[in-house]
Amino acid sequence: MAVLMRKNFSHQRVPTYDRVNVAVFHLLGEAQLWYQLIEVDSDVVDWDEFKRLCSLRFGPPAYNNPLGDLVLLCQTGAVEQYKKLFQEKLARASSMVQVDQQVALFTAGLTEALKLEVEFYAPVDLSSAMNIACALEL
């Protein structure tokens, strides 16, 4: 989040002293409520402190094993729900997972019956594997 904001701020020439105000203006929902609590606790938050607090609240946990989390993920509900969780975890571990490994990791987490059916179709990429799993679930 901070990297994205920094790029936007550079392009828009937002001075450092005004970055927190601009960022806070764009907060929605849970993030907006979170910042309101921050304001109650302290009068002024500078840009570096804001980034640190954002990272603590919305960044990855102190325990950080994204590849392990992806490998251990198993389908417990609908394929659509599993797909969403898989993509979230894959986004955090993508630098460690090659494209050809994505299909294997995705199918390994499916229910046993569904895994065998998806593997039968030998999907060539993750999108194909996900589409096949959704179609077979129906």
Side-chain angles (χ1 to χ4, degrees):
M1 182 165 118
V3 172
L4 181 61
M5 287 188 284
R6 186 177 34 211
K7 287 180 182 178
N8 285 336
F9 290 149
S10 296
H11 292 301
Q12 296 175 2
R13 294 187 172 92
V14 175
T16 304
Y17 65 84
D18 210 19
R19 290 181 179 183
V20 173
N21 291 330
V22 173
V24 167
F25 178 77
H26 290 88
L27 294 179
L28 299 171
E30 181 183 349
Q32 190 176 42
L33 295 172
W34 163 79
Y35 188 74
Q36 287 172 354
L37 291 174
I38 298 293
E39 283 184 313
V40 169
D41 290 342
S42 62
D43 293 336
V44 178
V45 175
D46 68 6
W47 179 240
D48 288 330
E49 180 66 1
F50 180 79
K51 291 188 301 184
R52 187 185 74 76
L53 292 171
C54 278
S55 181
L56 279 173
R57 174 61 184 88
F58 299 104
Y63 160 77
N64 196 5
N65 184 357
L67 183 57
D69 291 343
L70 182 63
V71 169
L72 295 175
L73 182 64
C74 292
Q75 178 191 0
T76 57
V79 171
E80 200 59 45
Q81 179 187 15
Y82 172 65
K83 247 175 56 173
K84 182 178 184 268
L85 288 170
F86 186 87
Q87 289 173 322
E88 287 173 6
K89 293 187 182 304
L90 179 61
R92 292 189 53 225
S94 62
S95 64
M96 297 174 267
V97 181
Q98 296 176 9
V99 174
D100 58 333
Q101 296 171 323
Q102 294 175 5
V103 173
L105 288 169
F106 177 76
T107 56
L110 290 169
T111 61
E112 198 60 37
L114 196 52
K115 172 173 51 173
L116 292 172
E117 290 187 66
V118 171
E119 288 174 347
F120 175 78
Y121 286 94
V124 294
D125 58 24
L126 182 59
S127 294
S128 298
M130 290 179 166
N131 285 337
I132 292 167
C134 286
L136 290 171
E137 183 181 49
L138 296 176

